[in-house]
Structures are given as structure tokens and as C-alpha cells.
Amino acid sequence: MAEIGGNHGGSPELAALMVRAAARSGFGLVKFQAYRTGLFLHRSSPFHGELGREELPFAALSALGTLARDLGLGFGLSVFGPEGLELALSLGADFVKISSGDLNHHPLIRMAAASGLPLVISTGAAAQAEVDRALALSGPNLLAVLQCTSLYPAPEGLMHLAVMDGWLQRGLPAGLSDHSLRTGAMRMAFLLGAAMIEKHFTTDRGLPGGDNAMSLTPDMMEALARELRGLGVWGRATGGRGDREMALGPGPGELWGSPVKEVQPGEEPRLIRRWAVCARDLKKGQPLDPADLAFQRLSAELAGGDGLLGPDMDLAGLSLLRDAAALEPLRLSDLEAPGRRAGGGQAHRPAIRLALAVSHLLSEPSLEGRKLMGLAEALEIKGLPEPSWLPGDKPRVFHSGLGLVEEGFVESFGAIGPYLAEKGVASFSCDLGPAAERYQGIRPASRVLSEAEIEARIAESLRAVRKAFPGQVAVENYNYYPTGLYEHVCRPDFIHRILRRFDLGLVLDLAHAAVTAHNQGLGLLAYLRELPLERVEEIHLSKPYLPWAKGKMACDAHLCPSSREIRWLSDLLKILPARDGPGILLVVEFYGQLDELYKTMSFFKRILS
């Protein structure tokens, strides 16, 4: 695909010359950008003038589409709003593309997916979690997801074709958006079986403006085509299969890079993403409606600092804490927090307190461990003995990995009870059970326990707990796997019944809930709404593995939370019922590097305060 972009400098005549050159050079597709500068860029952007000059009238784009078809080329548009999408539909475009800067523009992705046009998504300046969220919205017409490094030009050492290859191995229609200066990345991507390869294209690298200086020229494309013909692969429909042996040769080289999709050095997501600005003058206390907001790229100065509001956030119904003028950027601090009344009083949504999970990472004292202690308002002890260096003044809760139904629970609790009394532990929690993935631990193994037998075991276990421990007792929700055994323990009605009958609190593990929702084909928020949220005592947060492909099973992974999991937490907090009490503990269940855990907990400390 020849990405002509703004290389024409706003000249329809030069754009037409570039289309003809692309057809002669061996490209199969051409693409232009359909935008209105004032809608897409904030007036503070340093690129406002340049992109304004490069903006083509929609009538000119229509004529270029006709020319491309006449020359046997496919024709597509990068779209930045409903006006560009409507143009693509009216022209019968062969595809539309979501640019890297709009990877988090979920309303735009939903609109594009709903149009029925084949969809291409570019992924520069993004991590894998953001890519997965966009793919989940892309619908059945995904034509290609493009590995991209949003640098102009991109060094070959930062191309990371291993990311594209990994997506191909997952069955995704993966390709490459190539910002490098040469053709080596195109060659490797082609041989690996890329579904699509996009390259900026020009007739002359000396032309002013656009991306001409880093773009492919006709002679470079023709040379690449000759090389691929010599290898006997030019014109072959790879269908994502490619020729890995030929692609990788004796060694993959620097183009291969890392298989981990993450933001690269020099990429600036804040500057290419769009952020909320007022679509018109707004008044203090005014509840926000989607029509009150526009999303635009900001200058580096305005895009600095914390609290920017992206198009992936649900802001409807929140109120402004101040008057705001049209086109003024908004931040989280400008909005009334969910759960606050207009008069400033609390609606008694439960307070969230940050707790630290005491895992094997904290078995010995360390500087990182002591810094983590400073962030935590409470400690969640995971096992005994407790590390001797832990501060004595931190409130403690205890979470056991045993299930109430498992054989040996009463005996195991016999060792925990004295500790709970000695330390004045506020609450004890454990798994509800039996776990579908650990059913072999349930006796007798020769048959599945009935619900009545499960409840009898829970009653027996809780008698032992409450005899030794007078505090709060809670149970954790499980992952759902379609094993045919004990799947009902994940059903909301079963969880409601057990918690009501035995007066238990709920440790709500969001990753478990996400795995359960995915594996049952449900939406996460819909599943959460069915749970007894009024009984939540703790929230466990980590990143599970959620496959993009339908039919693949999700599983618990205990990875460090990403923006996706933060959004889950935000959605949960909006639907938690109001109540009095000491609040809910938030526990980050990540057991990797302490420095990464510290960064994550520091982030939560800031937003919770």
C-alpha cells in the first residue's frame, strides 16, 4: 500500500501524479487521509498550519479514488471522524484505516467497524494491551493490524518485526506500517507473510512538507519488486504464510527486534493521541454530554502533566467543577468525581484503601520493599510465617489460597487461627471453591460433589474459622473454565446464595471476573453487575491473558495491571453501591519485579488520593 498522505502538499494534481507513479511501481493499493484540520487538531498544535495546507477537499479525494480504480489500484482512506467515514462509504472505498494516534479512539473504531468497510488498524506508540482493546472493537471486517513504530523516520533497530510475526502466529491478519528509510523491513515482512505492508510514497524525496524526505520513491519500489521476482515470490498470495526460512536467513538481524509490543524510545503517545476539549462554552456543575466534548491533538505544552481525558474514557454524566471555554482542554481534576453530590457532600461510595500483598518478593528486607510499605495503608498476608521485618503498625488482613471446600481446610486453618489472634488481623479470606481448574484436590475425586455437599463442606469449614476468629470472613470469586466440573461456583446466583446464607464478604478478583466473562461469552461489566457488589471487602487487580481470537480460552496470569485493567477498576467503582464503613482494600496481585510493582502502586496511590 502506498501511503501518499500529505506528500502532495495539498495539490490534487501532484496527488494524481503520485497515484499514477504508484501504479507503475508495483503497489496494489493507495491511501489518502480524509480529515478536517480544525476538527482533528487543536489550535495550539504546531502542525496545524502544515496539515491545513495539505488538507485535500473531499471532492478531490473522490476524483483520486476514481483514478486509482481506473489504474487497477485499491483505494482507501485514513479517517479521523464521521465526516471522513461518510466519505469513504459514499466512495465505496476498499478499506478505511485507523491511524496509530487514534488507537484509543474507541468511538471512532466502533463507528468504522459498524460501517461494514474492511478495517485497517495501525499500532504505533502503543503497548499490547491497547492493541488488544482496539482489536476487540474491530468487528468481523478486520483487514489488517499493522505493527508500526511512530518515528519519522524509524530506525531499523526499532522496527520489531517479531511483533508482527507473533500476531501472524496468533492467526491475526497482521502487517507492517513501515516508517524506515529503506526497503529491508518491507522485504522481511513480505517474506514472513504480512497481510498488508504500508509505506509512505512520493515521486521525489526533495519535495517540501509531508513525509517526502522519508518516503519510498518509484525506483526503490521497482528495485524491491525485481528482487522479490528474483526470489520467485513476487506476485505470490502469501495469505499470512510467507517463507520464514527465506525471511530470517542465517539470523533475523536488527529488523526482527523484540516480540513484546510496547512503546519505543522516542515515541510520544501523548502528542499523537487526541484528548478531550470543550466543544463549546460549558458551565460549572453542568453534567457532560458526549456532544459537549471534542477530541483533538494538543501541543506538547498542553499535553503535559497528569489527568488528560482520552476518547476511551466514559465521561458522560460527570459534572464540571469550573466554567470552561470552547476548545479548552479538560483534565480529570476539572470533573466532579463519581459519587459526589453537586453540593459537595459524599454519596457514601466506599473509600478505596491501597493494600500491599506480602508475597515471596518481600520475604527479605530491601529498599524497594520498604518503599512499598510506605505506599500501603494495609498489608495482605498471603502465608505463614510472616516476614519478621514487616512494620508492626500496618493493619493486616489474611488471604489463604485454600478453598473452603477442599480436603484439609480445617486442619490448615488450625495453624492460621493463632496468628490471626496474635496480630489482631481485621479479616480472613480464602477461595470459595471448589476451583474448576483444581478439582483434583476435592475428595472424593471419583465423583462431582453436589451443591448440597458443597454447602455442607462450606458450613463445616466456617464453623472452625468462626470458632477461632471473630472478625470479618470473605471469599474470593473463581475463574470459570468449561471443564464440566464445578462450573456453577462462578454463577452469580450461587455466589449470592452462599454469601447471604453464611454472611460472608466478597473478595472481588477482577482478573477472575474477566476470565469468567470471556470464557462464557459475556461482557465484563454485565457480569460484574450480577455479583453481590454490596458485599465487596477487597478488590484484587492484575492482568489476565485474554485472547483476541474468538473461541480461545482466557486464563489467569497475574501480570502487572495495564490501562485495560485500570479501566475495569474505574467501571467497577462507578457501579459499587453506596454504603458506610471502613472502605474497600485494593490489592495489586503482581509478583514480578518490585520496581514495577512500586511504579504501579505509586500510580494508584496518586489517583486514589
Side-chain angles (χ1 to χ4, degrees), residues 50 59 262 574:
E50 179 183 347
E262 55 191 351
K574 291 174 185 175

Side-chain angles (χ1 to χ4, degrees), residues 129-177:
E130 296 174 281
V131 177
D132 287 340
R133 287 180 68 186
L135 291 177
L137 301 172
S138 63
N141 296 316
L142 181 68
L143 180 62
V145 53
L146 304 181
Q147 159 60 4
C148 178
T149 301
S150 290
L151 296 173
Y152 300 84
E156 293 192 345
L158 296 181
M159 294 299 294
H160 298 298
L161 267 74
V163 171
M164 184 199 81
D165 185 68
W167 291 343
L168 287 171
Q169 303 312 311
R170 285 171 52 187
L172 290 172
L176 177 69
S177 179

Side-chain angles (χ1 to χ4, degrees), residues 65 103 163 173 178 301 319 374-375 392 479 605:
L103 189 66
V163 171
D178 181 8
E301 181 181 3
S319 299
L375 295 175
N479 299 291
K605 186 76 170 180

